[in-house]
Amino acid sequence: MTNDIVIDVRDYNLYYGDFHALLDVNLSIKKKSVTAIIGPSGCGKSTLLRGLNRMNDLIDQVRVTGEIFIEGKPIYAEKRDLVELRKKVGMVFQRPNPFPLSVYENVAFGLRLHSHLSKEEVAQKVEESLKAVALWKELKDKLKAPALRLSGEQQQRLCIARLAAMSADIFLMDEPCSALDPVATQHIEELIRVLKEDYTIVIVTHNMAQAARVSDETAYFYLGKLIEMGPTDQIFTRPARKETEDYITGRFG
Amino acid sequence: MSLRKKFFVCLTVFIFQMASVLPVFAEGEAIQIKGSDTMVNLGQAWAEEFMRANPEVSIAVTGGGSGTGIAAIISNTCDIAQASRSMKEEEIEKAENSGEKIHETIVGYDGIAVVAHPSNPVSGLTIAQIADIFTGKVKNWNELGGKDLPILVLSRDRNSGTHVFFLEHVLRGGNSKGPEEFDTEALMMPSNQSLVQEIKSSEAAIGYVGLGYVTSDLKVITVAKNDGSEYVEPSIETVQNATYPISRPLYFYTRGTLRPAVQKFIDFVLGPEGQEIIELLDFVPLNKD
Amino acid sequence: MESARKPWNRALEFLIERAIFFAGIISIFFVILIFVFLLKEGVSLLKTYPLKDFIFGQKWYPISEPPSFGVVPLLLGSLAVTMGAIVIAVPLGMGAAIYIAVVAPGWLKEILKATVEFLAAIPSIVLGFIGLVTLVPLVKQVFHLTTGLTAISGSIMLAFMAMPTIVSMMEDALTAVPRSYREGAIAMGATKWQMIWRVLLPAASSGMLAAIMLGIGRVIGETMAVLMITGNAARIPTSLFQPVRTMTATIAAEMGEAVQGSDHYFALFAIGIVLFIITFLINLAAGFFIGRAHHK
């Protein structure tokens, strides 16, 4: 049972200067599952997500207590290799942010950083990764095209592909569909359902219907506290806490 | 009245007002002197002394090179052009196009000293040897009895009267239209000070400056006119008695009939006080006879 | 009250609009006037001196009889000094720009930016003078030369003059790169240097090329400093450790002496045309790169 847990957050507190953004968060996430983090704006859900691969380190005056274990290893431990961590735990941002390089170079980006593969091996990985996000068919003749010319949906898929290429196995998605139209959103959601066969996914979303559609587990955050976490259908049908029910039924938020 | 018309009326009125105000500035009797950098300190010293005795006259002295002064006298934007070379025929022609005659006055002499680094063992050169150095025919000091060291040739730049004088009287042996030229590798220094400084800093250097710029930490080369003749050190006496071969007159150029103040100033320069100042600044005064 | 103010506003707006338009037209008019004048004076040389000998001539003896007005040594002199300056200024400027834009903490960033811009405020003749008394002897000593008045001295000095342009423009280009690119790279486990090298620099490349071009433009037109420290020997340079004579220094040094309307005078204007064409092309290239940077 415990072998299934890949992310384990223990007594996690985070401060931006004087502001206490996350309070004593404890939660665990299972391997090859989709976990949705929901809650009103400013509840700390993105902060937690960015804590999982230590992207918060980029912000000045951030202070953390407690610990997060990824595959059993503490990520805030003193000698933790951030490169290793971020290689394993990839992030997909709100706005698709492919690099101003070609499609091919975007996917190969992580490989060029972290491995010394031969040309053929890189090409192979790029193809596999594009196939994994269902972009290969559309883009196999446009690998040299600048990634910034792609549609928003294609760009977001590409951003997922470049994580897959460097063999990340946890994907952190920070409202990945908020900049996309409904059709594209639907496509990305389908992709998420496919990806969970091989990857562990944590998704932050504003869209409760989306959380209900794609996730196995849901965590509800409010004012920096984890209010409730459980199987998605349970959270959405019979939440244990009154606050959760109020939020889910749209009484506030 | 349209806006445009109003504008032009205002402009015209303004111009007339300015024109009526301007001559007021000239009432203090101003003299403009421009030209040779070699002579700028000299002109300044004359002007100061002259103004002390004649406070109603104000004299402005500026440098820029003999050519600058001559250009100014051609365009009638100065009263006196100071020049360390004589005006070219085409320049005189151009200046006299307006109908006014150009007048030349020699106010003193300048000897040009050939100088080298104090550590240089070569002490005397003939005019022909100097010409060979500056045209690039001789490239190493050992050809002249010195160390085995490539010669660093320093010249003033072409806007300098000293450059032209040296070119015509040394390199071309007095034939001002001769084919000889400075070696392309010769450095063209923008000022006498920078040339002197470069000589001091390089063992291999040779250059030329007006007598007034010679300091005790430079080696002054003695010059012989021909192979057999005597090596002469440049000094006031040797320039005045014409035994030193590289010397030149210093000129004032004026045009047309002179204003009394300008005439008075020139008389002052040629008089005993003016000539004393020349000597004070290490130039060579006119021969008193 | 409101309605009474309206006609005033409109009149004012009209006046301001006209004034701006007029100012724009005037500046264009002056540029054209300058160019026509330059062309007229420069082309006059060709009446008596063949174009071929000007462009390919290897000797600059303007006051000889007959004179030679070969622009080659001067052109190569300018190019040598400029290229040297760029080779020095670009890596340094790039390093400084990257440091200011990405690495330096906020407070230091402001100090550094102000310092670099202050460098631009130092008059070039002052830099030239400082170069003459400090850099020239140093160059002579370090490279064991007979004189320090060489192209390399000019290059080093001009590199300092090009720095403010290069650093501040490159810094702008780097800062303009969306934060999301940087985050994306860091989130993929790139180190700061990998992020800079693989994402930031490619993304900012157009703006940085424009910065280099404008730096070249600044350097090639510089006069006083090169006049003072490059030695001004009109030879064809074979190395940066020789004295050279640049086009600008030639114009500055000889214009005072050249008789107005003489061949020498016209030849100096012809050099002016060459200089004008070069800077024009460089600015054109810079404009092209800036356009591309905005397009992205």
Side-chain angles (χ1 to χ4, degrees), chain C residues 38-186:
Chain C
L38 195 59
L39 208 63
K40 183 178 137 290
E41 299 288 75
V43 168
S44 302
L45 175 70
L46 305 181
K47 283 185 215 145
T48 51
Y49 197 79
L51 180 65
K52 180 172 70 67
D53 291 358
F54 174 70
I55 295 179
F56 299 108
Q58 311 201 344
K59 288 237 155 74
W60 179 260
Y61 281 135
I63 53 176
S64 286
E65 294 283 342
S68 359
F69 299 117
V71 80
V72 173
L74 312 180
L75 183 65
L76 292 181
S78 278
L79 291 184
V81 173
T82 304
M83 285 307 133
I86 289 306
V87 165
I88 297 165
V90 167
L92 279 179
M94 210 155 133
I98 290 172
Y99 184 76
I100 293 174
V102 192
V103 184
W107 60 274
L108 186 57
K109 188 180 283 199
E110 291 313 311
I111 294 176
L112 285 173
K113 273 170 88 167
T115 314
V116 166
E117 269 146 37
F118 178 71
L119 203 55
I122 303 175
S124 71
I125 193 156
V126 173
L127 275 178
F129 183 68
I130 294 172
L132 186 65
V133 297
T134 60
L135 182 66
V136 169
L138 192 72
V139 165
K140 172 177 151 65
Q141 203 177 10
V142 169
F143 298 108
H144 303 291
L145 304 170
T146 44
T147 175
L149 298 165
T150 52
I152 190 77
S153 309
S155 294
I156 295 171
M157 221 55 239
L158 290 190
F160 277 100
M161 281 181 216
M163 259 333 203
T165 312
I166 291 181
V167 172
S168 58
M169 277 203 58
M170 280 190 175
E171 198 256 335
D172 285 348
L174 289 170
T175 315
V177 173
R179 202 186 153 71
S180 66
Y181 294 172
R182 288 156 65 172
E183 276 199 328
I186 295 289

Side-chain angles (χ1 to χ4, degrees), chain B:
Chain B
M1 198 153 42
S2 79
L3 196 67
R4 189 174 298 179
K5 258 189 197 157
K6 248 184 206 165
F7 174 72
F8 278 113
V9 170
C10 287
L11 192 70
T12 319
V13 170
F14 180 70
I15 288 170
F16 272 106
Q17 271 176 352
M18 284 313 289
S20 61
V21 168
L22 277 173
V24 174
F25 292 115
E27 254 176 19
E29 196 71 71
I31 301 177
Q32 288 285 341
I33 300 177
K34 225 179 232 182
S36 165
D37 281 328
T38 312
M39 293 171 72
V40 106
N41 289 336
L42 188 59
Q44 193 63 46
W46 278 326
E48 275 166 24
E49 198 55 39
F50 183 76
M51 284 190 288
R52 197 170 302 157
N54 304 278
E56 75 286 356
V57 182
S58 75
I59 303 176
V61 184
T62 49
S66 299
T68 311
I70 288 166
I73 202 78
I74 289 171
S75 60
N76 202 7
T77 52
C78 73
D79 299 295
I80 298 171
Q82 300 192 116
S84 52
R85 64 162 172 87
S86 58
M87 262 174 96
K88 297 171 197 162
E89 263 166 49
E90 58 197 286
E91 288 170 337
I92 293 179
E93 213 172 281
K94 211 167 158 56
E96 292 183 344
N97 271 346
S98 61
E100 286 182 312
K101 282 273 173 224
I102 292 294
H103 190 70
E104 178 186 288
T105 314
I106 295 179
V107 295
Y109 298 96
D110 182 19
I112 295 178
V114 176
V115 288
H117 194 265
S119 73
N120 198 322
V122 176
S123 58
L125 293 169
T126 64
I127 290 280
Q129 282 175 318
I130 296 172
D132 284 350
I133 292 172
F134 282 87
T135 50
K137 277 190 209 120
V138 172
K139 293 268 185 197
N140 197 306
W141 282 109
N142 62 14
E143 294 172 61
L144 302 160
K147 299 177 197 164
D148 177 18
L149 204 63
I151 302 175
L152 177 67
V153 178
L154 303 178
S155 162
R156 287 294 315 282
D157 215 324
R158 296 188 179 92
N159 61 343
S160 155
T162 321
H163 172 105
V164 177
F165 179 79
F166 199 79
L167 176 67
E168 292 179 355
H169 289 259
V170 178
L171 272 64
R172 293 177 181 167
N175 172 16
S176 67
K177 307 264 180 206
E180 292 86 359
E181 251 298 351
F182 282 97
D183 185 16
T184 49
E185 291 181 24
L187 271 61
M188 297 289 168
M189 309 303 289
S191 66
N192 286 317
Q193 287 92 337
S194 61
L195 191 142
V196 166
Q197 185 178 336
E198 190 57 22
I199 299 254
K200 283 181 197 162
S201 75
S202 179
E203 251 195 292
I206 186 167
Y208 57 88
V209 285
L211 218 47
Y213 286 92
V214 173
T215 51
S216 57
D217 47 1
L218 291 174
K219 171 153 207 163
V220 179
I221 305 278
T222 55
V223 181
K225 198 160 193 167
N226 302 304
D227 249 346
S229 53
E230 199 188 341
Y231 288 91
V232 183
E233 187 167 339
S235 70
I236 291 182
E237 293 74 43
T238 55
V239 168
Q240 226 172 27
N241 65 21
T243 48
Y244 183 68
I246 317 172
S247 64
R248 61 177 174 182
L250 302 173
Y251 301 94
F252 271 8
Y253 285 99
T254 51
R255 66 185 298 153
T257 323
L258 300 180
R259 286 186 283 141
V262 178
Q263 186 61 57
K264 199 171 168 193
F265 177 69
I266 293 176
D267 290 344
F268 163 81
V269 165
L270 295 174
E273 287 170 277
Q275 293 298 304
E276 199 172 303
I277 290 172
I278 271 208
E279 213 165 341
L280 224 59
L281 290 184
D282 292 325
F283 289 101
V284 179
L286 295 167
N287 206 328
K288 272 151 201 157
D289 312 322

Side-chain angles (χ1 to χ4, degrees), chain B residues 157, chain C residues 54-55 60 70-82 158 216 219-224 226-227 230 232-235 244-255 264 267-279 282:
Chain B
D157 215 324
Chain C
F54 174 70
I55 295 179
W60 179 260
V71 80
V72 173
L74 312 180
L75 183 65
L76 292 181
S78 278
L79 291 184
V81 173
T82 304
L158 290 190
I216 295 178
V219 163
I220 204 161
E222 176 48 44
T223 308
M224 283 325 290
V226 289
L227 181 67
T230 57
N232 303 319
R235 66 192 299 181
V244 296
R245 189 177 185 88
T246 65
M247 295 187 286
T248 48
T250 304
I251 296 174
E254 296 176 12
M255 201 43 117
H264 186 193
L268 295 177
F269 274 95
I271 297 178
I273 296 177
V274 174
L275 204 54
F276 184 91
I277 291 171
I278 292 174
T279 31
I282 288 166

Side-chain angles (χ1 to χ4, degrees), chain C residues 18-30:
Chain C
R18 278 303 158 104
I20 293 170
F21 175 75
F22 190 64
I25 290 290
I26 286 271
S27 54
I28 292 172
F29 178 69
F30 277 127

